[in-house]
Amino acid sequence: MDRRLLLKLMAAASVSGAGLIQSDSRLRVVVAGAGIVGASIAYHLAKAGARVTVIDRAGPASHASRGTFAWINATYAKQPRAYHRLSQDSVASWGQLATELGLPVRWGGSLEWFDGEERQNQLRAQIAEQFEWGEDARMVSRSQAQLQEPLIAFGDTSDVAFSGNDGTVDPILATHLLLEAASSLGAKVITPCDMLDVQIKAGRLVAVETSRGTIKADRLVLATGADPDAPQKFAGLDIPQRTRPGVIAISKPVPRRMNRIIVAPGIHMHQRDDGRIVFGEQDGAPSTHVDRLAGRPNDFPSVELAQEHAGRMLAIADIFSPGIADVEIEHVYIGWRPLPLDGHPVLGASENRPDVHLAIMHSGVSLAPIVGQLTAQEVINGSEIPDLAPFRPGRSFELVKRY
């Protein structure tokens, strides 16, 4: 069935199935942030019957969602167990959402290894734990990995971690499809639109002030990514973040070179269905560019500088995929990763402004489906879901160096 027709049928079914859907009594929710997380929340809210307005100062997927490697996973870095379980649930939800909306997710798993025996031994222990936690994860020999990826050079490593549940998605396309689905259910998307202030009366939210006018609202969801000021300004909370930039380079389409996500020492790579290869830096952007990055730009100041960074990444990638340095780079982005101090999501209502909900996290691509579902439930029902208890905004934040 044509995807647009499917979305129209879903909207019609929602309207016919709930008598209050077209009533002014529906809950009015503003979602601030049109990245992949905000888009998922907007879709699930609209699906549940809320009157949704999405605003963004630039446009859909114009910030963190544009400059992300877009690796869907529940890997060993997702610690502790509660965070890993949430990630596992979201990987499963990606499968459901992809089927529901025709989102193009490429599954196939990932292959990962490290330089140095000490770090590789740590990886082996972490993969064993993953297996105990229900992941399709195991160490495979270099020859087994070579059979899976004959064009990848695995070097001197004796074994490689294979995580079978991992996948990738085009985050810009996925964001637009989610917003399109939300719009088909009645949501409004307004961009560019700056959020300026909130109106609170008798302790309750009544409106959101924007550069495009006043929007009456019963709830506000902050899916504002790496914006350091939004939680304090609009939710009355200080959320300590250690946001850092990463560089993502995307090639022009080329013949198939890899089938899985390749996480090699110093570089991440995966190839989309359209033939484009996505490259991500393992350690983020160089810290030497402090002045240049002070304004948190999403683009490099010049094409030449962008290509210089891309060339450095390609030189590393060429070690593991000989000849890949010859591909043409189409886009180079600076992605600002929203990373709360302890590395875990910030999800739930503000203790100081209970009608303002937060949805700020690293692993936004991995967590978008489950966060969309659970945030929508909490906003609509005014309840707290126990599985989200470890991630509340009012927790104590302590620095975790895992990320």
Side-chain angles (χ1 to χ4, degrees):
M1 180 183 294
D2 179 78
R3 180 173 55 79
R4 292 183 181 273
L5 176 59
L6 176 61
L7 294 176
K8 290 179 180 178
L9 291 175
M10 288 167 55
S14 296
V15 170
S16 62
L20 294 179
I21 287 292
Q22 296 300 316
S23 168
D24 287 341
S25 65
R26 288 184 299 159
L27 194 72
R28 301 167 300 183
V29 186
V30 172
V31 178
I36 195 166
V37 173
S40 177
I41 292 169
Y43 167 67
H44 286 95
L45 282 167
K47 187 179 176 183
R51 294 171 59 189
V52 181
T53 303
V54 182
I55 62 175
D56 193 283
R57 67 178 54 170
S62 55
H63 301 295
S65 296
R66 185 182 68 161
T68 176
F69 187 64
W71 180 4
I72 300 170
N73 68 80
T75 67
Y76 59 83
K78 306 295 177 67
Q79 299 282 348
R81 183 69 179 95
Y83 183 33
H84 187 270
R85 186 181 297 110
L86 185 70
S87 299
Q88 281 183 313
D89 290 344
S90 200
V91 171
S93 294
W94 260 115
Q96 298 165 11
L97 193 62
T99 301
E100 186 176 327
L101 297 182
L103 299 179
V105 178
R106 181 177 178 84
W107 301 105
S110 66
L111 291 166
E112 182 172 11
W113 72 103
F114 288 93
D115 279 336
E117 192 63 16
E118 181 179 353
R119 184 60 187 90
Q120 191 71 359
N121 279 334
Q122 185 180 358
L123 176 64
R124 293 174 186 124
Q126 290 166 328
I127 292 300
E129 181 181 61
Q130 291 289 288
F131 183 78
E132 291 179 2
W133 286 0
E135 280 296 300
D136 177 17
R138 60 189 182 275
M139 299 301 296
V140 299
S141 67
R142 181 177 61 198
S143 60
Q144 289 173 314
Q146 200 72 71
L147 288 173
Q148 293 187 48
E149 294 288 352
L151 298 182
I152 297 298
F154 292 94
D156 295 331
T157 187
S158 61
D159 53 3
V160 178
F162 173 68
S163 298
N165 290 332
D166 295 3
T168 60
V169 68
D170 180 337
I172 298 177
L173 177 59
T175 299
H176 280 275
L177 291 178
L178 281 163
L179 290 174
E180 183 179 324
S183 297
S184 76
L185 296 168
K188 296 179 180 179
V189 180
I190 305 175
T191 63
C193 182
D194 270 319
M195 185 165 56
L196 305 177
D197 205 351
V198 291
Q199 291 185 17
I200 305 290
K201 292 184 178 179
R204 304 310 301 263
L205 178 72
V206 295
V208 175
E209 299 286 354
T210 80
S211 59
R212 302 282 290 272
T214 300
I215 304 172
K216 293 181 179 180
D218 305 300
R219 303 287 187 274
L220 168 65
V221 180
L222 297 179
T224 47
D227 186 334
D229 302 320
Q232 179 62 55
K233 184 174 182 180
F234 303 113
L237 288 176
D238 179 26
I239 303 297
Q241 295 192 49
R242 50 190 174 92
T243 299
R244 64 182 185 182
V247 178
I248 297 294
I250 302 174
S251 77
K252 292 184 177 180
V254 296
R256 178 65 48 191
R257 296 185 66 96
M258 62 195 74
N259 298 302
R260 292 159 185 80
I261 302 156
I262 305 300
V263 189
I267 196 75
H268 298 170
M269 302 178 283
H270 68 80
Q271 190 167 12
R272 294 175 179 168
D273 287 337
D274 63 8
R276 289 176 169 83
I277 300 175
V278 182
F279 301 90
E281 293 179 307
Q282 191 169 61
D283 298 322
S287 58
T288 52
H289 303 301
V290 176
D291 293 339
R292 187 180 296 155
L293 298 173
R296 297 196 175 190
N298 294 113
D299 296 299
F300 286 88
S302 68
V303 173
E304 292 76 17
L305 189 59
Q307 291 296 326
E308 178 185 321
H309 278 263
R312 177 172 49 80
M313 296 166 70
L314 286 177
I316 299 172
D318 200 70
I319 298 170
F320 307 105
S321 182
I324 205 170
D326 295 330
V327 304
E328 289 187 68
I329 295 298
E330 190 171 55
H331 302 292
V332 188
Y333 301 132
I334 303 173
W336 290 91
R337 305 163 184 175
L339 193 62
L341 192 63
D342 58 9
H344 298 151
V346 178
L347 299 168
S350 166
E351 295 176 349
N352 297 327
R353 293 178 178 173
D355 293 331
V356 181
H357 291 248
L358 292 91
I360 300 171
M361 69 210 72
H362 184 44
S363 299
V365 169
S366 288
L367 292 174
I370 197 69
V371 165
Q373 294 172 35
L374 299 184
T375 298
Q377 289 180 37
E378 293 200 331
V379 170
I380 293 286
N381 299 327
S383 59
E384 290 193 350
I385 295 172
D387 286 351
L388 297 184
F391 312 115
R392 297 303 181 194
R395 69 181 185 265
S396 296
F397 290 84
E398 297 180 1
L399 178 64
V400 175
K401 296 183 179 180
R402 183 180 303 112
Y403 304 92

